[in-house]
Amino acid sequence: MTEQKKVNMEKIVSLCRRRGFIFPSSEIYGGLSSCWDYGPLGVELKRNIKQAWWQAMVQERDDMVGLDTSILMHPQTWAASGHLEGFVEPLVECKNCHLRWRTDDLKDKNCPSCGGELTEPRLFNLMFKTFMGPIEEEANVVYLRPETAQGIFVNFQNVLNTTRKRLPFGIAQIGKAFRNEITTGNFIFRSREFEQMEIEFFVKPGTDQKWFNYWVEERLNWYVKLGIKRENLQLHKHSKEALAHYARECHDIDYLFPMGWAELEGIANRGDFDLVQHAKYSGKSFDYFDEETKEHFIPYIIEPSAGVDRSALAFLCDAYAEETSEEEMRVLLHLHPSLAPIKVAVLPLSRREKLAAVAKQIYANLRQCWMISYDDAQSIGRRYRRQDEIGTPFCVTVDFQSLEDEQVTIRERDTMNQIRVPINELKNTLQAKLEGEDLFVLPPGGQIWKEGGNG
Ligand code: GAP
């Protein structure tokens, strides 16, 4: 058996389209540039990524609380944050075809599309603008947030007052963000509407470097624990010139996407920039009193900021494999069980009434715990392949012998090994396997059924 790990973007896009992970937005109208819809499997993958992040970053930590703030915020937020002035791209416009271009995308002085003459560069703000209420005038302009972070900063005192958290502690949020990106593409890598998973971690000034290093390590490990190969991740330190206007230091976690190394997550030391700015623009105090040292200060902020969509793309690319044996080729997604959209597929060997009744009972029982699929169409081999391709870690096969011995087989996606277990041990066995137990650790009455092969 040989395994081909190199994947190109076309294969990922095609798999996502074919199996219902991701569709172009408003496809029946020809699609909407750089907007995407997550299908039945995509939505599960995305929910699992967010759940894994929330569990590790909020649920299992003493020093983190969650928040869910609105997308529309008071317009002063964006004056204070620097986005009104600083979140801009210099663009030139073609005087002939009116297409706009980033200056760094230009190879010569003329329009890359029609060769026409270009204007001088003008600043173009990347925030989406809309109007609050029925009157479309400047006074009613509001923006779709370009990052979730600002919702956290403006609620710092609310959280402090209501949770009695003391420094160092963090506030985590998952939510949509919008950017009128000039250069889009590479599938869901850069889109105009996307989801972020952001942490703003508040620390005492002077301890910020220690916490910055801690978070770089912590976030890198999160991807590795969920199955991304370490060699496909690297850290990229921003030079002083490349730093965002709010950052003192920033490291990107880059992933080796099919188009090359690119940012998966950014970890920034934002210092006291945001809280000082919001104190200035709102007139409210962001002062923190340290009861131990009796000091007053404005906290510094370490920000690990990840993209849900980019994570989904990285997990898909990293999991994709094509295995060729003498008989055939199988495509599979080696997704970590906690990320797999479907955890278990229940497959009756035939549609016959007696067998279907047992299989449906198992299905009804298991779906109370996990997302389960029931598939009785076509040969068992084809059904295994269908589940491999969407990353389902285990298939449960109900055969005629099950009617006699009340046992079923469990087939493992990656090895194709099989065990046979009593139906009344099935749920606990699957639970243990999904948590990483070796397949050949058997429950009472269980036996090894098949090692490897093409099952
Ligand atoms: N609050 C800090 C911040 O927003 P960023 O580096 O601009 O920092 C953080 O964005 C993460 O959000 C990126 O690492 C990426 O994963 C995701 N992201 C940013 N722009 C994106 C886009 N246009 N499409 C998809 N994901 C994007």
Side-chain angles (χ1 to χ4, degrees):
M1 189 111 61
T2 55
E3 193 170 285
Q4 161 74 12
K5 289 233 172 73
K6 199 119 192 74
V7 58
N8 59 42
M9 196 68 98
E10 289 72 42
K11 285 186 179 173
I12 296 292
V13 175
S14 156
L15 173 69
C16 286
R17 177 80 192 79
R18 192 170 69 247
R19 299 307 312 274
F21 278 91
I22 299 165
F23 309 119
S25 162
S26 350
E27 197 176 11
I28 58 164
Y29 295 107
L32 180 66
S33 171
S34 77
C35 293
W36 301 94
D37 295 342
Y38 286 77
L41 294 180
V43 72
E44 295 301 332
L45 174 64
K46 220 156 79 130
R47 275 163 49 91
N48 293 342
I49 291 171
K50 289 188 276 187
Q51 168 56 26
W53 186 87
W54 197 265
Q55 181 170 336
M57 299 298 127
V58 183
Q59 189 181 320
E60 292 179 3
R61 297 185 65 106
D62 285 334
D63 57 0
M64 194 80 71
V65 291
L67 197 66
D68 185 8
T69 68
S70 64
I71 286 170
L72 300 176
M73 299 181 70
H74 193 290
Q76 277 294 85
T77 308
W78 309 112
S81 71
H83 282 83
L84 273 182
E85 266 202 11
F87 199 50
V88 288
E89 289 269 6
L91 294 186
V92 294
E93 187 173 324
C94 173
K95 291 181 180 170
N96 180 42
C97 69
H98 300 289
L99 283 178
R100 289 179 178 170
W101 304 94
R102 280 161 69 135
T103 39
D104 47 6
D105 285 345
L106 293 175
K107 290 204 174 60
D108 61 46
K109 285 188 169 144
N110 290 352
C111 172
S113 175
C114 73
E117 197 188 333
L118 298 169
T119 63
E120 284 301 305
R122 275 197 293 264
L123 292 179
F124 175 78
N125 196 296
L126 300 187
M127 283 194 293
F128 278 99
K129 235 185 202 181
T130 186
F131 298 94
M132 188 79 117
I135 303 166
E136 293 193 6
E137 61 182 21
E138 208 46 34
N140 295 336
V141 165
V142 287
Y143 299 91
L144 304 191
R145 66 180 177 198
E147 59 173 12
T148 71
Q150 299 301 326
I152 298 180
F153 302 140
V154 301
N155 277 292
F156 174 65
Q157 289 293 3
N158 283 340
V159 173
L160 204 58
N161 295 339
T162 51
T163 62
R164 293 163 57 222
K165 284 272 171 223
R166 311 308 299 164
L167 258 51
F169 79 97
I171 305 179
Q173 165 156 246
I174 300 177
K176 289 259 181 174
F178 303 82
R179 296 182 190 177
N180 201 356
E181 300 278 6
I182 311 304
T183 319
T184 56
N186 286 320
F187 197 29
I188 52 172
F189 177 80
R190 181 172 286 115
S191 48
R192 296 197 167 104
E193 174 179 344
F194 54 96
E195 258 181 299
Q196 289 186 314
M197 305 183 283
E198 298 202 288
I199 292 168
E200 305 304 329
F201 200 78
F202 301 88
V203 303
K204 186 175 179 183
T207 65
D208 48 314
Q209 190 60 48
K210 181 185 86 183
W211 281 107
F212 179 80
N213 297 344
Y214 166 86
W215 277 110
V216 169
E217 211 43 41
E218 191 72 3
R219 292 301 306 144
L220 201 58
N221 288 341
W222 184 79
Y223 292 103
V224 175
K225 268 192 209 143
L226 286 172
I228 298 228
K229 289 166 217 71
R230 181 61 185 84
E231 66 268 25
N232 289 341
L233 294 167
Q234 71 180 17
L235 290 174
H236 160 227
K237 182 179 162 64
H238 283 215
S239 65
K240 277 232 145 50
E241 303 73 55
L243 283 175
H245 62 274
Y246 50 73
R248 296 169 162 241
E249 187 172 2
C250 184
H251 284 182
D252 287 344
I253 298 176
D254 284 357
Y255 175 73
L256 186 54
F257 287 99
M259 69 281 185
W261 289 102
E263 177 188 340
L264 179 58
E265 166 162 354
I267 296 127
N269 180 348
R270 295 181 77 125
D272 60 5
F273 176 86
D274 302 276
L275 298 187
V276 166
Q277 285 294 101
H278 285 302
K280 192 163 124 195
Y281 278 74
S282 67
K284 301 284 189 300
S285 169
F286 281 80
D287 187 67
Y288 177 84
F289 179 60
D290 187 330
E291 274 145 24
E292 266 174 36
T293 61
K294 309 289 176 215
E295 286 171 283
H296 286 268
F297 55 83
I298 298 207
Y300 273 21
I301 294 169
I302 308 301
E303 177 194 62
S305 173
V308 180
D309 312 78
R310 264 185 214 181
S311 298
L313 184 59
F315 284 121
L316 283 168
C317 292
D318 222 71
Y320 185 94
E322 290 171 5
E323 272 183 11
T324 333
S325 69
E326 281 157 25
E327 286 124 73
E328 59 173 330
M329 197 268 276
R330 71 167 181 152
V331 170
L332 74 161
L333 291 181
H334 290 288
L335 284 172
H336 189 281
S338 63
L339 300 183
I342 305 291
K343 307 298 182 209
V344 179
V346 177
L347 315 175
L349 210 55
S350 114
R351 283 182 170 163
R352 276 207 224 137
E353 185 63 34
K354 272 194 168 165
L355 215 57
V358 175
K360 286 210 169 123
Q361 186 54 50
I362 290 173
Y363 173 55
N365 195 12
L366 295 182
R367 67 195 288 187
Q368 291 171 4
C369 306
W370 308 287
M371 288 301 295
I372 307 291
S373 152
Y374 185 90
D375 187 1
D376 60 4
Q378 299 182 308
S379 75
I380 192 73
R382 282 204 166 187
R383 283 185 267 165
Y384 284 151
R385 297 290 168 271
R386 276 206 290 271
Q387 296 302 328
D388 292 342
E389 201 187 34
I390 63 169
T392 305
F394 298 104
C395 289
V396 169
T397 310
V398 184
D399 53 29
F400 289 101
Q401 203 180 317
S402 307
L403 301 176
E404 313 288 319
D405 64 6
E406 296 189 1
Q407 298 208 344
V408 287
T409 56
I410 300 176
R411 174 209 184 249
E412 187 176 55
R413 175 196 67 203
D414 293 354
T415 58
M416 295 189 276
N417 289 337
Q418 295 183 24
I419 58 172
R420 193 165 177 89
V421 301
I423 293 174
N424 60 13
E425 293 288 343
L426 183 60
K427 198 188 272 185
N428 287 343
T429 307
L430 286 169
Q431 175 83 52
K433 305 306 170 204
L434 286 166
E435 285 170 6
E437 186 184 71
D438 190 278
L439 185 74
F440 289 158
V441 174
L442 299 167
Q447 57 186 303
I448 292 175
W449 198 243
K450 194 170 176 205
E451 286 198 58
N454 290 313

